[in-house]
Amino acid sequence: MPKHALSVTREDDFAQWYQQVISEADLAEESGVRGCMIIRPWGYGIWERIQRLLDDRIKATGHDNCYFPLFIPLSYFEKEAEHVDGFAKEMAVVTHHRLVMQDGKMVPDPEAKLEEPLVVRPTSETVIGAAFSRWIKSWRDLPVLINQWANVVRWEMRTRMFLRTSEFLWQEGHTAHATEEGAREETMHMLEVYRSFAEDCLAMPVVAGEKSENERFPGADATWSIEAMMQDGKALQAGTSHFLGTTFSEAQNIRFQNDEGQFQLAYTTSWGMSTRMVGGMIMVHGDDDGLRVPPRVAPHQIVIVPMLRDQHEDERVLSYCHELRAQLSQLNAINEPVRVLLDTKPVKAATKRWSWVKKGAPIIVEVGARDVAGGNVSVLRRTSLYKDDGKLASEIMERHDFVDRAATMLEEIQQALYDEARSRLDGSIRRGVETFGELEKFFDEGGKYPGWVEVQWSRPTGAALANVVERLKALKLTIRNVPMDAPAADGNCIFTGDKAVERILVARAY
Amino acid sequence: MPKHALSVTREDDFAQWYQQVISEADLAEESGVRGCMIIRPWGYGIWERIQRLLDDRIKATGHDNCYFPLFIPLSYFEKEAEHVDGFAKEMAVVTHHRLVMQDGKMVPDPEAKLEEPLVVRPTSETVIGAAFSRWIKSWRDLPVLINQWANVVRWEMRTRMFLRTSEFLWQEGHTAHATEEGAREETMHMLEVYRSFAEDCLAMPVVAGEKSENERFPGADATWSIEAMMQDGKALQAGTSHFLGTTFSEAQNIRFQNDEGQFQLAYTTSWGMSTRMVGGMIMVHGDDDGLRVPPRVAPHQIVIVPMLRDQHEDERVLSYCHELRAQLSQLNAINEPVRVLLDTKPVKAATKRWSWVKKGAPIIVEVGARDVAGGNVSVLRRTSLYKDDGKLASEIMERHDFVDRAATMLEEIQQALYDEARSRLDGSIRRGVETFGELEKFFDEGGKYPGWVEVQWSRPTGAALANVVERLKALKLTIRNVPMDAPAADGNCIFTGDKAVERILVARAY
């Protein structure tokens, strides 16, 4: 058994392991500001890669980026009761616009109290809806397809880095359409963009489906999600796409003249994905040696670590490394130029190697004087770190051979991470659970990391749904979604005993 | 004389012209939220280009991007008196974290008052300094070179889109160094990055120099700026780089053990550039037909406008346009793939053409059935819109000839915009003004848009400096900077009569 780079394993304590990966991989840290984190260079570099790849897809589907205000007047929220109810409990409110010295202390200046308090945006439907109502006059103006990259604030009582922070970074798409059909198509189209982005770029297999009524976005007619499975068997909602119907266009008066000259309400959608995805990536791909970053989102895909000893040899080693970097930078892998770092920091080579292992760089190449003499490099793939005997699986390769193979190796690593996560997801959804008792038993006896259960239900509403939610809550379970690709129901609801109408996923979740 | 696309000219009313460009070019609009604007797709697209090109330069000089909290506890500011004094009057303060319904109205919940108010960051020296004090232990940790792209809030009483808004977008760099020399080098290095970025990418010539003491960033030992000249002769501070000495490291306790084992304070710097640059670009390059965007920062460099008439011809025109777009997209101009848009919106071709003229797309290509038949295109350069007789200077070119020339044309347009702005700047700085009376006279008689004056001064401090500032203020003038490349002083101070030590630029400014 190899000795691993982290002191806590996933099996020991998943939550503590998660925190350790974040700190050892230099992803983020506590800021000293309640509920807010600092995203460090490696973590932010991954987020920048996510932004770039997702933004390309958002633009390719016809959306334009804009920027809307951070502050939203309280009155904007009052127009949509369900929406404000959903967010009122977690809103940061600006009440003053100046500080003043009082008794030797700086305090908000009582003379500079705002007439109307401003909310720090928790999401931007209201302020973007107000803009839409100005922009949209005629059917010719539709559809309006907008996206925004921004920070938002939801005052969380219990926070966890990347997964639940008071401030987080995200993109929020907002669109308006002439017809219900158009808006529903958009909702599903963006859900598909999220699904394919998660799977193709983050190597994170997901289940796409509609959320149950109780889990809808406040004000939405329907909410769809992609759900990913973490290594502790919990679910993470990784992206959502909302069909908002005419709720917000009624509240914000988004009306247009149709081609027959009549005024009617537009149909709107919104959809978002956030820095939460970095947390998901850790919990899907991390191992007991730290993070493993899928090559497509790795800020550096190949890190070259020169092993330096004395002045004379060092120059030759460094110049060999520079040449290697130049050769690798010419390559393309997965449709982009390969990103290579030559790490020349004044730190011991072994320390550097382990630092890049913990950060999860896909390929680490070590070069010492002996490699230079032999025209070789020593290659370590982050996805196969150890040999059977527990020793490091570094492979001596001829340099030109490595350069020839590097792009393919990156593609293989991307695929290997996906395959591993896919087989875990597919193998950890229990089907055929036909009674609530069986469900209880599964989570009682399913071990530490039990996975998900797919059950059939009759889609109860109102008090009956509230009752289901309560019963699940007692088991710390939630309804994740109604998987789009599940077979039709053919049995009875495990909650009500009525004839089932669809299948739902039930799981513990972040 | 051609009839121009805007109803207000620069000569008529520069301020109103500026607003009209913003609205007619679809750059931004008022949001309904006090002092905050909405940046619309074309404006945000330009900002994204600025981000991309500046970010590449920031990274190429060894800086890493991070993200720090939006909220800063009040106590962080109290540690540095001069800094908090500088910003206290314009700080948005969060005091509550929940809303509650009271008498049928949502209000900040008195039960959810924060123990310590949080300031919405006006700049991040304090919160980043606190992180630096945790990160920096030894000389081996230095330098720390960090950058952040973020929104910041400074509560402005009088706002103007892009130039002065309560919320704005920017990048702020923050670095720490072991030696004063290292920090001073960084300050100057980033000033040079800003200068070359403004000139090479935005085609905006600037004067780089040190700010006078009264214009320093609150808490800085020295502030350097680049100043650009607008077409109304006013100056715009387009980027600043601050040498902070040990002010913030004392306040935040940023100490390290040097190579002799002794503890000492780090030297820090900060530097920033913001969405203000978009405003600067308008006022440097705009004309009476709208904006002219330098090709390097144009979201679309070439816009193809198909002239559609009837079903049968339209298909041929469109397929010709698609081919043209494909050919142009293969080209490289100024080190990047050419960005081409085929505008197929259901709008009349003439309306589209003028819309792209007002937006300032560098090249507009119109294609009608006759062009298709002849294998031609009709090309309009935004920098030479009219012939001498006032008619549009569209040029019929063979399609393959245009494709051959397009990249060069974009380079020529970039250069033409720079040359025009350079000759305006060089021609509008009045030198040889030797008395305060002459200075007064120059601005009294210099016409509507008088430009700048370079004078010699003795660099007074304290009350003497305050007096100079007051005398200038009475003429609505400010000291811009001490140009780095100005010749040594050889006369007397126009304010004090003492022997001059350097030259300064005096101007009206935004």
Side-chain angles (χ1 to χ4, degrees):
Chain A
M1 282 284 289
K3 193 181 168 304
H4 290 288
L6 302 184
S7 64
V8 186
T9 67
R10 290 160 291 174
E11 189 57 32
D12 288 343
D13 184 332
F14 199 78
Q16 215 186 314
W17 166 84
Y18 176 75
Q19 293 298 334
Q20 201 175 53
V21 174
I22 288 175
S23 110
E24 293 291 314
D26 258 351
L27 296 168
E29 67 184 31
E30 296 291 348
S31 67
V33 182
R34 202 200 148 290
C36 299
M37 65 178 175
I38 292 169
I39 309 181
R40 290 174 55 95
W42 187 246
Y44 198 78
I46 293 169
W47 176 241
E48 284 182 305
R49 289 291 310 154
I50 290 175
Q51 284 190 299
R52 182 75 61 104
L53 293 168
L54 183 55
D55 193 61
D56 286 348
R57 284 166 165 73
I58 290 171
K59 286 187 175 135
T61 47
H63 303 86
D64 283 321
N65 285 341
C66 288
Y67 189 77
F68 293 85
L70 171 69
F71 297 138
I72 305 180
L74 208 44
S75 57
Y76 282 42
F77 282 94
E78 285 166 352
K79 292 179 184 165
E80 217 303 288
E82 198 179 329
H83 187 63
V84 68
D85 280 355
F87 288 105
K89 283 187 191 142
E90 47 188 42
M91 278 175 172
V93 193
V94 175
T95 53
H96 294 74
H97 63 81
R98 192 163 62 216
L99 296 179
V100 72
M101 188 65 83
Q102 216 172 60
D103 305 328
K105 262 194 79 182
M106 297 301 290
V107 296
D109 185 349
E111 305 283 301
K113 201 171 166 186
L114 298 179
E115 275 182 41
E116 180 180 2
L118 296 171
V119 170
V120 182
R121 62 180 163 221
T123 181
S124 303
E125 277 74 11
T126 54
V127 71
I128 294 181
F132 280 7
S133 77
R134 294 191 299 272
W135 297 356
I136 297 167
K137 304 286 174 213
S138 144
W139 63 273
R140 286 190 190 79
D141 301 323
L142 293 169
V144 174
L145 307 172
I146 289 299
N147 179 59
Q148 160 169 279
W149 290 93
N151 53 346
V152 287
V153 170
R154 298 178 187 175
W155 202 266
E156 299 283 354
M157 281 304 149
R158 293 185 57 187
T159 61
R160 199 192 296 237
M161 279 196 274
F162 289 112
L163 300 178
R164 198 175 290 279
T165 47
S166 292
E167 181 192 10
F168 59 92
L169 306 181
W170 77 347
Q171 62 64 220
E172 47 179 322
H174 296 268
T175 69
H177 306 260
T179 63
E180 173 170 350
E181 193 194 358
R184 285 197 184 271
E185 263 172 26
E186 167 80 10
T187 309
M188 300 315 290
H189 187 63
M190 294 317 296
L191 184 72
E192 170 57 18
V193 166
Y194 287 156
R195 188 204 60 75
S196 62
F197 171 74
E199 299 196 338
D200 299 347
C201 297
L202 299 175
M204 185 188 287
V206 293
V207 176
E210 190 179 350
K211 285 288 198 187
S212 54
E213 187 189 318
N214 60 304
E215 296 275 358
R216 274 182 203 146
F217 177 76
D221 280 10
T223 287
W224 298 72
S225 74
I226 54 170
E227 304 279 334
M229 183 181 283
M230 307 296 105
Q231 289 181 69
D232 62 354
K234 286 194 191 173
L236 183 81
Q237 179 176 297
T240 48
S241 186
H242 314 293
F243 170 67
L244 304 174
T246 56
T247 311
F248 286 89
S249 54
E250 266 175 55
Q252 305 283 346
N253 196 29
I254 310 173
R255 269 168 224 277
F256 67 98
Q257 211 165 4
N258 65 22
D259 53 4
E260 289 166 353
Q262 287 152 337
F263 286 93
Q264 64 174 78
L265 290 170
Y267 292 82
T268 67
T269 83
S270 68
W271 28 274
M273 191 176 263
S274 76
T275 34
R276 192 161 222 235
M277 289 309 266
V278 179
M281 214 188 59
I282 297 168
M283 293 193 290
V284 169
H285 297 306
D287 67 12
D288 296 338
D289 293 293
L291 183 56
R292 299 184 301 174
V293 188
R296 295 195 75 169
V297 291
H300 312 303
Q301 297 170 312
I302 304 176
V303 176
I304 304 171
V305 176
M307 298 166 77
L308 305 176
R309 296 251 168 77
D310 71 59
Q311 195 66 36
H312 176 63
E313 274 181 347
D314 286 1
E315 266 176 42
R316 280 171 48 217
V317 170
L318 277 174
S319 104
Y320 187 88
C321 288
H322 278 288
E323 276 169 41
L324 176 62
R325 181 180 59 177
Q327 286 177 310
L328 293 168
S329 301
Q330 298 297 315
L331 303 175
N332 268 278
I334 328 179
N335 310 320
E336 287 182 284
V338 169
R339 297 179 292 281
V340 193
L341 176 78
L342 169 54
D343 183 354
T344 56
K345 268 201 228 95
V347 176
K348 277 196 298 184
T351 309
K352 263 190 233 183
R353 177 213 298 147
W354 284 107
S355 145
W356 288 110
V357 165
K358 288 186 281 185
K359 285 185 159 127
I363 298 175
I364 301 164
V365 183
E366 293 174 285
V367 176
R370 201 183 300 174
D371 299 303
V372 175
N376 296 328
V377 292
S378 172
V379 178
L380 191 58
R381 295 184 191 217
R382 184 60 183 84
T383 41
S384 39
L385 214 49
Y386 299 105
K387 291 189 284 193
D388 290 342
D389 62 6
K391 289 195 178 137
L392 270 188
S394 298
E395 186 187 351
I396 307 290
M397 294 175 76
E398 289 186 30
R399 172 171 136 186
H400 69 85
D401 192 28
F402 171 63
V403 173
D404 286 349
R405 295 260 303 123
T408 307
M409 284 172 69
L410 289 171
E411 280 156 27
E412 288 166 357
I413 292 169
Q414 181 81 26
Q415 190 63 43
L417 287 169
Y418 179 79
D419 291 344
E420 192 180 320
R422 167 56 71 187
S423 93
R424 182 186 318 117
L425 174 64
D426 289 346
S428 309
I429 301 181
R430 173 68 170 271
R431 294 186 173 85
V433 167
E434 295 191 354
T435 66
F436 191 79
E438 277 179 61
L439 182 78
E440 264 184 305
K441 193 167 162 220
F442 175 81
F443 283 99
D444 272 355
E445 297 173 3
K448 210 164 167 182
Y449 303 148
W452 305 352
V453 172
E454 185 188 279
V455 298
Q456 307 198 33
W457 81 335
S458 55
R459 203 195 300 143
T461 56
L465 174 59
N467 180 259
V468 167
V469 171
E470 273 309 303
R471 286 168 73 190
L472 289 173
K473 199 176 168 190
L475 303 172
K476 296 185 179 163
L477 295 172
T478 53
I479 303 168
R480 302 319 303 160
N481 66 21
V482 180
M484 291 171 68
D485 56 2
D490 59 4
N492 294 326
C493 174
I494 70 154
F495 305 106
T496 62
D498 296 342
K499 194 169 153 42
V501 300
E502 63 195 10
R503 294 167 199 266
I504 56 173
L505 285 174
V506 168
R508 291 180 181 146
Y510 283 95
Chain B
M1 281 282 291
K3 191 179 169 307
H4 290 288
L6 302 184
S7 64
V8 186
T9 67
R10 290 160 292 174
E11 189 58 33
D12 288 343
D13 185 332
F14 199 78
Q16 214 185 313
W17 166 85
Y18 175 76
Q19 293 299 334
Q20 201 176 50
V21 174
I22 289 176
S23 111
E24 293 292 314
D26 258 351
L27 296 168
E29 68 184 29
E30 297 290 349
S31 66
V33 182
R34 201 201 149 287
C36 298
M37 65 178 174
I38 293 170
I39 309 180
R40 290 173 56 94
W42 187 246
Y44 198 79
I46 293 170
W47 176 241
E48 284 183 304
R49 289 291 310 155
I50 291 176
Q51 283 190 300
R52 183 75 61 104
L53 292 167
L54 183 56
D55 193 60
D56 286 347
R57 284 165 163 74
I58 289 171
K59 286 188 176 133
T61 46
H63 303 85
D64 283 321
N65 285 341
C66 288
Y67 189 77
F68 293 85
L70 170 69
F71 297 138
I72 305 180
L74 207 46
S75 57
Y76 282 41
F77 281 95
E78 285 166 351
K79 292 180 182 166
E80 218 300 287
E82 198 179 329
H83 188 63
V84 68
D85 280 356
F87 288 104
K89 283 186 192 143
E90 47 186 42
M91 278 174 174
V93 193
V94 175
T95 54
H96 295 74
H97 63 81
R98 192 164 62 217
L99 296 179
V100 73
M101 187 66 81
Q102 217 170 60
D103 305 327
K105 261 195 77 182
M106 297 301 292
V107 295
D109 185 350
E111 305 283 301
K113 199 170 166 187
L114 298 179
E115 276 183 39
E116 181 180 0
L118 295 171
V119 170
V120 182
R121 64 181 162 219
T123 180
S124 303
E125 278 72 11
T126 55
V127 69
I128 294 182
F132 280 8
S133 77
R134 293 190 301 270
W135 296 357
I136 297 167
K137 303 287 174 210
S138 143
W139 63 272
R140 285 190 190 81
D141 300 324
L142 293 169
V144 174
L145 307 173
I146 289 300
N147 179 60
Q148 160 169 282
W149 290 93
N151 53 345
V152 287
V153 170
R154 298 178 188 176
W155 201 266
E156 299 283 354
M157 281 303 150
R158 295 186 55 186
T159 60
R160 198 192 296 238
M161 278 196 276
F162 289 113
L163 300 178
R164 199 173 291 279
T165 47
S166 292
E167 181 191 8
F168 59 92
L169 306 182
W170 78 345
Q171 61 66 221
E172 48 178 323
H174 296 268
T175 70
H177 306 260
T179 62
E180 173 170 350
E181 192 193 1
R184 285 196 184 273
E185 263 172 27
E186 168 79 11
T187 309
M188 300 315 289
H189 187 64
M190 294 317 296
L191 184 73
E192 170 56 20
V193 166
Y194 286 155
R195 187 203 61 74
S196 62
F197 171 75
E199 300 196 339
D200 299 346
C201 297
L202 299 176
M204 185 188 286
V206 293
V207 176
E210 190 179 350
K211 285 287 195 187
S212 56
E213 187 189 317
N214 60 305
E215 295 276 359
R216 274 182 203 145
F217 177 76
D221 281 13
T223 287
W224 298 72
S225 75
I226 54 170
E227 304 279 333
M229 183 181 282
M230 307 298 105
Q231 290 181 68
D232 61 354
K234 286 193 190 174
L236 182 80
Q237 180 176 296
T240 48
S241 186
H242 315 292
F243 169 67
L244 303 173
T246 56
T247 311
F248 286 87
S249 54
E250 266 175 54
Q252 304 283 346
N253 197 29
I254 310 173
R255 271 167 223 277
F256 67 97
Q257 211 165 5
N258 65 23
D259 53 4
E260 289 166 353
Q262 288 153 336
F263 285 93
Q264 66 174 78
L265 290 170
Y267 293 83
T268 67
T269 83
S270 67
W271 28 275
M273 190 174 265
S274 76
T275 35
R276 188 158 226 237
M277 290 308 268
V278 178
M281 214 189 59
I282 298 168
M283 292 193 289
V284 169
H285 297 306
D287 66 14
D288 296 337
D289 293 293
L291 182 56
R292 299 184 301 173
V293 187
R296 295 196 74 170
V297 292
H300 312 304
Q301 297 170 312
I302 304 177
V303 175
I304 305 171
V305 176
M307 299 166 77
L308 305 177
R309 295 250 167 78
D310 71 59
Q311 195 65 40
H312 176 63
E313 274 182 347
D314 287 0
E315 264 176 43
R316 280 171 46 217
V317 170
L318 276 173
S319 104
Y320 187 88
C321 288
H322 278 286
E323 276 169 42
L324 176 62
R325 182 181 58 177
Q327 287 178 311
L328 293 169
S329 301
Q330 298 297 316
L331 303 174
N332 268 278
I334 328 179
N335 310 319
E336 285 181 286
V338 169
R339 295 179 292 281
V340 193
L341 177 77
L342 169 54
D343 184 352
T344 55
K345 269 201 227 93
V347 177
K348 278 197 297 185
T351 310
K352 262 190 233 184
R353 176 213 297 146
W354 284 108
S355 147
W356 289 111
V357 165
K358 288 186 279 186
K359 285 185 160 130
I363 297 175
I364 300 164
V365 183
E366 291 173 288
V367 176
R370 199 183 302 174
D371 299 302
V372 175
N376 296 327
V377 292
S378 172
V379 177
L380 191 57
R381 295 183 191 219
R382 185 58 185 85
T383 41
S384 39
L385 213 50
Y386 300 105
K387 291 189 285 194
D388 290 343
D389 62 7
K391 289 195 180 137
L392 270 188
S394 297
E395 187 187 350
I396 307 289
M397 294 175 74
E398 289 185 29
R399 171 171 136 186
H400 69 86
D401 192 29
F402 171 62
V403 172
D404 286 350
R405 295 259 303 124
T408 308
M409 283 172 71
L410 288 170
E411 281 156 27
E412 287 166 359
I413 293 170
Q414 181 80 28
Q415 189 64 43
L417 287 169
Y418 179 79
D419 291 344
E420 192 181 321
R422 165 57 71 189
S423 94
R424 182 186 317 118
L425 173 64
D426 289 346
S428 310
I429 300 180
R430 172 67 171 271
R431 294 187 172 84
V433 166
E434 295 192 353
T435 66
F436 191 80
E438 276 179 62
L439 182 77
E440 264 181 308
K441 193 167 163 222
F442 176 81
F443 283 99
D444 272 354
E445 298 174 1
K448 208 164 167 185
Y449 304 148
W452 304 352
V453 172
E454 185 189 279
V455 300
Q456 306 199 34
W457 81 336
S458 56
R459 202 196 300 143
T461 56
L465 174 59
N467 179 258
V468 167
V469 171
E470 273 310 302
R471 286 167 73 190
L472 290 174
K473 199 176 168 190
L475 303 172
K476 296 185 180 162
L477 295 172
T478 53
I479 303 168
R480 301 319 302 160
N481 67 21
V482 181
M484 290 171 70
D485 57 2
D490 59 5
N492 294 327
C493 174
I494 70 154
F495 306 106
T496 62
D498 297 343
K499 190 167 155 41
V501 299
E502 63 195 9
R503 293 168 198 266
I504 56 173
L505 285 175
V506 168
R508 290 181 183 146
Y510 284 95

